[in-house]
Amino acid sequence: MAEAHQAVAFQFTVTPDGIDLQLSREVLKHIYLSGVTSWKKRAIRFKNGVLTGVYPASPSSWLIVVIAIMSTMYARIDPSMGMIDRIKTSLPVSEFMTVQTQTVLSAILFATGLWLSFIFLLRYILKALLSYHGWIFESHGKMSFSTKVWLSLVKLLSGRRPLLYSFQASLPHLPVPSIDDTINRYLESVRPLLDDEQYKQMEIVANDFKKDPAPKLQKHLKLKSWWATNYVSDWWEEYIYLRGRDPIMVNSNFYTMDLLYVIPTHRQASRAANIVHAMLQYRRKLERGELTPLRALGIVPMCSFQYERMFNTTRIPGIETDFVQHLKDRKHLVVYHRGRFFKVWLYYGGRHLWPSELELQFQRILDDKSEPQPGEIKLPSLTAGNRVPWARARLKYFNEGVNRASLEAIETAAFFMTLDDEAHGYDPENIRSLDLYAKSLLHGKCYDRWFDKSFTLIVYKNGKTGINTEHSWADSPIIGHMWEYVLATDCFHLGYTAEGHCKGDINKSLAPPTRLQWDIPKCQEIIEGSYMIAKGIADDVDFHDCLFNEFGKGLIKKCRTSPDAFIQLALQLAHYRDKGEFCLTYESSMTRMFREGRTETVRSCTCESTAFVKAMEDESTTNEQRLALFKKAADKHQNMYRLAMTGAGIDRHLFCLYIVSKVMGIDSPFLKQVLSEPWRLSTSQTPQQQLNLIDTQKFPKYVGAGGGFGPVADDGYGVSYIIVGENLITFHISSKFSSPETVGEFQTFFLSATFFWPPVTEVPASSDASLNPWMTRGMTLSRSYKTHTHT
């Protein structure tokens, strides 16, 4: 009970002589240190807020301007052209303000105004420069003189040490494409999927829409783009994510895996402790805005607004729509283990708990033999089922007493962690090891992840880890940025002892984790109903993860081809070989060069890609013709990707026009048809090495396996891939057992990229025609990577 006594700051005893007050010095010391830390944090945030607010200038530049203006005054030169005198006459006259004081104050006010005007001018110029995107359309390795000048100007105006949010005010707004451009690009994208009669009908519907009501909808959308920071992002978050009433498990949440080949320690509590401590370090940098902003080419800044809600964030269910609750300065996390919930404090004496202290706390949870309370085991399945029952149960059963306190502890936690009682990870001897690992991260047992938290950290009993992320608040590059920092810090900075424990002394005086209490007997029927729905979804998901290490980015780049375009064309060929037809294909692209930008769609199935695929299947086509078609298709894909990145995509514009039409009560057959088209092949590339904290050349085993998501269409595939280093590509492929379209063994789906398999160890460095011999070898390969047969 020593810890319990230390948790009491004071005790008092009533005696005949009065009240005897006894204060605990130890607790008062911790209260004092917590207060000092809190004020220190506020001071740092204020300082960084000022630095961000005046960027690209600096506070010291204000002093320089003031000194310069004062110097000109003493030299009897008036650079203000009389403005200082006018400011002086407007200042109040009093016995405390002499004429000289008025003069100095007037000069300071003028200098401050001049300095602020200079900052706004710099930001305006930088925003104008960042609105130029011609550089992204230039051939790789070839940079025009105008682009070189542009890059020099951007670099000059970007300052020396930007903070995470320094560029936010200088980022341009996402432009609204013209109706003509969007309609033409849409028609071009569906041409390979429609026969002549269907295409003519689609042209008629599209042209009717272009005449009316498109101009009216476009006018309102442009008005929104002038008023709002981003004309897409708020509606995208609300209507695509928060208004969805279906389960978010599998359908929305996505997962991220641990290092592929390495497990730094097999001690579950130790690995969890290092990971959590590294996350707290990252959160501290994030809250202070001290992370370095991501920049393309090392110069062009990306928007950082999505980072804000990474921690202390929960999706709260509602009857009609959910909302995202984001808090600040949360000092605890909630841990789930064997059906029990534990609240763990992350601070002690005003500082983060050290890894060794966190290990002690997590080991106490693992050693706890207490049984779950009635209904507690499957309680998290409420977040895995339909949203409306969960919202109603939350209002009815979790609005008072211990249930409210415990739910509040979860929803206000920094994040949620599961100490899983299973072991997962990559096993070269077990072809299904990655499949099971992926399914566990995506849905687990349907009741051991809190799917509403911004992310759930999962730590398995063999030391392997992973993350399940709720999608509404951010996209995968954001959580990937944090995860890369955490893994690098865990392996190369914190480390472990020879026995696999965390480094550092153990503080056994820490109060143990607190069990959360529940009183939910009346809610068990709803919990069981949510669990059964979630289990049906999880059991229907088929997953296959595979590693392709025959070649990778290194060889593809030697072929003067974009690795992403190469893989997308390989997927088109694979899908055609599997299904015998083409389908509408989704590839996610980012729009973070604009303020509050998120994603745009690249429609990867094009006339050029289908022509290439057909040529690959036609034995009468020569290799020279195939190669020419491949290059044409790859160039087309790259151009579409660049258009999407620069705000000239198709789908977000049409989506927003649809929202405007619904608000205005206008029925549009064209928009209704466009937004009802299923994405039977949904793809996404997981970003790799955003921070470059791990030297994969020096440590080739310390590479991540990426992550994945569930199938978007019931009769389609979800494909996530990550280009790892020079010689590895990992694929995460999902589908549904229940669909007859994806049942059975499908060959060549993952790795028909081997159509570019070279028969020689060195790739010819001469002309493109020299690629033909090894392309021929690749075309004839029928290397099959089969999924398990559905039963």
Side-chain angles (χ1 to χ4, degrees):
M1 296 296 292
E3 295 88 352
H5 284 299
Q6 289 182 3
V8 181
F10 65 90
Q11 299 175 0
F12 65 91
T13 305
V14 179
T15 67
D17 299 325
I19 298 176
D20 181 18
L21 187 65
Q22 300 175 0
L23 298 177
S24 170
R25 294 183 179 179
E26 183 66 20
V27 173
L28 289 178
K29 174 186 174 183
H30 288 304
I31 293 173
Y32 167 76
L33 292 174
S34 296
V36 170
T37 302
S38 178
W39 281 104
K40 189 184 295 183
K41 186 185 296 183
R42 292 176 187 174
I44 293 172
R45 285 179 180 172
F46 176 77
K47 182 199 75 172
N48 290 339
V50 171
L51 292 175
T52 298
V54 303
Y55 202 83
S58 63
S60 60
S61 63
W62 172 81
L63 185 60
I64 294 172
V65 174
V66 170
I67 292 174
I69 295 298
M70 297 295 293
S71 300
T72 58
M73 291 184 62
Y74 281 107
R76 299 193 176 184
I77 300 173
D78 185 10
S80 70
M81 295 182 293
M83 289 186 65
I84 292 178
D85 290 335
R86 284 196 289 272
I87 295 173
K88 181 179 176 181
T89 57
S90 64
L91 292 176
V93 180
S94 68
E95 57 180 321
F96 302 105
M97 186 174 291
T98 63
V99 174
Q100 186 176 6
T101 303
Q102 286 182 325
T103 303
V104 172
L105 183 58
S106 300
I108 292 174
L109 290 174
F110 171 76
T112 302
L114 182 64
W115 178 66
L116 291 174
S117 301
F118 180 66
I119 290 173
F120 286 118
L121 178 62
L122 286 178
R123 286 182 176 176
Y124 181 81
I125 295 173
L126 185 57
K127 181 180 286 189
L129 288 170
L130 294 176
S131 298
Y132 167 75
H133 299 119
W135 61 275
I136 203 171
F137 291 94
E138 294 181 350
S139 300
H140 183 69
K142 297 179 182 179
M143 189 179 293
S144 64
F145 176 75
S146 58
T147 297
K148 290 179 181 178
V149 173
W150 171 79
L151 280 174
S152 300
L153 290 173
V154 172
K155 190 173 183 179
L156 179 66
L157 294 176
S158 294
R160 291 181 298 171
R161 291 189 297 271
L163 297 172
L164 181 62
Y165 303 113
S166 293
F167 292 109
Q168 290 300 99
S170 301
L171 292 174
H173 287 204
L174 183 69
V176 181
S178 70
I179 291 290
D180 286 342
D181 286 346
T182 297
I183 297 297
N184 291 337
R185 288 173 186 144
Y186 171 78
L187 290 173
E188 183 184 6
S189 74
V190 298
R191 185 64 188 93
L193 305 174
L194 305 176
D195 59 32
D196 292 343
E197 185 62 33
Q198 291 173 326
Y199 183 71
K200 287 180 183 178
Q201 185 61 35
M202 179 56 74
E203 276 188 316
I204 294 171
V205 175
N207 288 327
D208 288 344
F209 170 75
K210 191 188 298 185
K211 294 175 185 176
D212 182 65
K216 189 186 303 181
L217 303 179
Q218 179 81 342
K219 189 183 300 182
H220 286 83
L221 197 57
K222 283 192 172 181
L223 182 63
K224 186 196 176 187
S225 73
W226 296 336
W227 175 257
T229 308
N230 188 294
Y231 81 92
V232 175
S233 294
D234 58 337
W235 284 350
W236 187 254
E237 179 177 311
E238 179 181 357
Y239 291 102
I240 296 300
Y241 295 114
L242 298 180
R243 281 187 178 268
R245 302 294 82 198
D246 293 331
I248 61 175
M249 184 198 77
V250 175
N251 296 321
S252 177
N253 287 28
F254 59 92
Y255 68 85
T256 309
M257 286 184 170
D258 194 2
L259 295 171
L260 181 59
Y261 302 113
V262 176
I263 303 179
T265 178
H266 289 280
R267 295 184 182 274
Q268 187 176 15
S270 303
R271 188 78 199 284
N274 262 14
I275 293 290
V276 169
H277 186 77
M279 284 181 171
L280 294 177
Q281 289 183 331
Y282 183 91
R283 186 179 72 160
R284 179 167 56 193
K285 288 177 176 287
L286 178 61
E287 289 177 341
R288 295 176 177 180
E290 293 175 347
L291 294 169
T292 303
L294 189 66
R295 293 194 274 183
L297 304 179
I299 298 174
V300 184
M302 301 287 109
C303 180
S304 301
F305 98 102
Q306 292 184 59
Y307 290 94
E308 295 177 6
R309 297 183 292 179
M310 183 177 296
F311 295 92
N312 325 318
T313 299
T314 306
R315 175 172 174 162
I316 305 298
I319 302 299
E320 295 184 357
T321 182
D322 298 349
F323 70 93
V324 178
Q325 172 185 274
H326 175 65
L327 305 169
K328 292 184 178 179
D329 295 330
R330 300 297 97 185
K331 297 184 178 181
H332 72 278
L333 67 83
V334 172
V335 179
Y336 180 92
H337 176 61
R338 290 180 53 247
R340 292 100 29 94
F341 293 83
F342 296 85
K343 183 176 180 179
V344 179
W345 289 102
L346 300 172
Y347 287 78
Y348 180 80
R351 60 166 176 81
H352 292 152
L353 291 184
W354 300 119
S356 57
E357 295 170 330
L358 287 168
E359 180 184 356
L360 172 65
Q361 299 293 67
F362 298 149
Q363 192 60 52
R364 284 171 169 172
I365 294 174
L366 293 173
D367 294 339
D368 190 304
K369 303 301 182 184
S370 61
E371 293 297 321
Q373 301 164 69
E376 186 179 13
I377 293 179
K378 294 182 180 178
L379 177 61
S381 63
L382 288 171
T383 66
N386 290 324
R387 305 304 292 172
V388 174
W390 169 211
R392 288 173 176 163
R394 187 176 184 276
L395 290 172
K396 187 174 182 180
Y397 300 110
F398 297 88
N399 213 23
E400 59 185 8
V402 294
N403 289 347
R404 179 175 180 174
S406 295
L407 182 62
E408 187 175 278
I410 295 173
E411 293 179 341
T412 62
F415 54 93
F416 192 84
M417 184 174 77
T418 296
L419 292 174
D420 207 297
D421 54 4
E422 295 181 351
H424 284 288
Y426 173 57
D427 180 3
E429 303 298 322
N430 182 0
I431 192 172
R432 290 210 57 210
S433 59
L434 282 177
D435 306 354
L436 298 174
Y437 183 20
K439 281 179 68 67
S440 177
L441 290 175
L442 186 64
H443 54 68
K445 299 173 183 175
C446 304
Y447 58 78
D448 51 357
R449 320 280 186 246
W450 199 269
F451 294 101
D452 284 353
K453 287 300 289 184
S454 54
F455 67 89
T456 295
L457 171 65
I458 301 112
V459 184
Y460 297 101
K461 68 178 183 180
N462 62 339
K464 209 69 175 176
T465 69
I467 288 180
N468 181 287
T469 305
E470 198 279 311
H471 208 334
S472 66
W473 65 274
D475 302 307
S476 63
I478 306 303
I479 202 74
H481 186 277
M482 181 270 287
W483 195 232
E484 185 181 336
Y485 174 92
V486 167
L487 293 180
T489 303
D490 170 36
C491 297
F492 296 101
H493 296 282
L494 299 177
Y496 301 89
T497 65
E499 294 78 23
H501 292 287
C502 294
K503 295 179 179 178
D505 297 329
I506 298 176
N507 181 5
K508 293 187 177 181
S509 64
L510 288 172
T514 307
R515 275 286 303 272
L516 298 185
Q517 301 299 314
W518 305 97
D519 181 17
I520 48 178
K522 297 179 181 179
C523 190
Q524 291 192 41
E525 185 177 342
I526 299 175
I527 293 173
E528 189 63 26
S530 293
Y531 168 70
M532 294 308 297
I533 291 173
K535 189 175 186 302
I537 294 173
D539 290 345
D540 194 27
V541 174
D542 183 21
F543 242 101
H544 189 71
D545 285 25
C546 61
L547 310 178
F548 181 69
N549 53 16
E550 307 299 341
F551 61 86
K553 178 177 66 176
L555 178 61
I556 297 172
K557 283 192 170 182
K558 287 182 181 178
C559 302
R560 302 171 190 172
T561 302
S562 159
D564 183 71
F566 182 96
I567 294 173
Q568 285 293 326
L569 289 173
L571 291 173
Q572 289 298 317
L573 176 60
H575 188 273
Y576 187 79
R577 287 176 174 174
D578 177 48
K579 309 302 299 178
E581 62 182 9
F582 298 103
C583 71
L584 192 61
T585 306
Y586 180 110
E587 182 188 4
S588 179
S589 163
M590 65 89 179
T591 56
R592 288 173 60 200
M593 289 190 294
F594 303 97
R595 191 167 184 181
E596 295 190 11
R598 289 194 63 163
T599 61
E600 177 58 276
T601 304
V602 180
R603 294 177 168 235
S604 302
C605 183
T606 62
C607 293
E608 290 79 3
S609 67
T610 56
F612 163 71
V613 169
K614 290 176 181 178
M616 288 297 295
E617 297 298 276
D618 184 359
E619 294 182 1
S620 65
T621 308
T622 65
N623 291 330
E624 287 78 9
Q625 291 172 321
R626 291 176 180 134
L627 184 59
L629 290 170
F630 172 82
K631 286 192 166 295
K632 188 176 180 180
D635 290 343
K636 176 66 175 180
H637 181 82
Q638 280 187 279
N639 186 62
M640 291 194 308
Y641 202 99
R642 290 162 176 165
L643 286 171
M645 289 180 64
T646 53
I650 302 169
D651 291 274
R652 299 301 178 269
H653 185 204
L654 293 176
F655 162 76
C656 289
L657 291 172
Y658 178 77
I659 297 298
V660 175
S661 73
K662 286 297 181 183
V663 173
M664 296 180 66
I666 297 174
D667 185 56
S668 169
F670 171 73
L671 290 175
K672 190 179 295 183
Q673 182 171 344
V674 170
L675 270 74
S676 64
E677 294 169 344
W679 301 97
R680 291 192 172 89
L681 183 56
S682 181
T683 70
S684 178
Q685 180 183 172
T686 304
Q688 172 77 350
Q689 291 293 312
Q690 298 182 71
L691 296 171
N692 292 314
L693 295 177
I694 300 177
D695 186 351
T696 55
Q697 296 293 327
K698 187 177 180 181
F699 304 100
K701 294 294 184 183
Y702 287 81
V703 294
F709 51 89
V712 175
D714 291 338
D715 56 351
Y717 298 107
V719 182
S720 175
Y721 54 92
I722 178 171
I723 302 170
V724 186
E726 299 294 307
N727 299 299
L728 177 63
I729 305 172
T730 66
F731 290 86
H732 305 251
I733 302 177
S734 61
S735 61
K736 292 191 176 182
F737 287 106
S738 59
S739 171
E741 296 297 320
T742 57
V743 166
E745 299 181 358
F746 57 92
Q747 301 179 345
T748 68
F749 183 61
F750 316 119
L751 303 180
S752 65
T754 51
F755 65 79
F756 251 2
W757 182 303
V760 292
T761 54
E762 295 294 331
V763 178
S766 56
S767 65
D768 292 336
S770 63
L771 300 179
N772 290 343
W774 55 273
M775 187 173 179
T776 304
R777 172 71 180 276
M779 181 191 67
T780 59
L781 285 175
S782 180
R783 186 165 187 184
S784 301
Y785 281 71
K786 303 178 182 180
T787 59
H788 49 283
T789 305
H790 302 327
T791 57

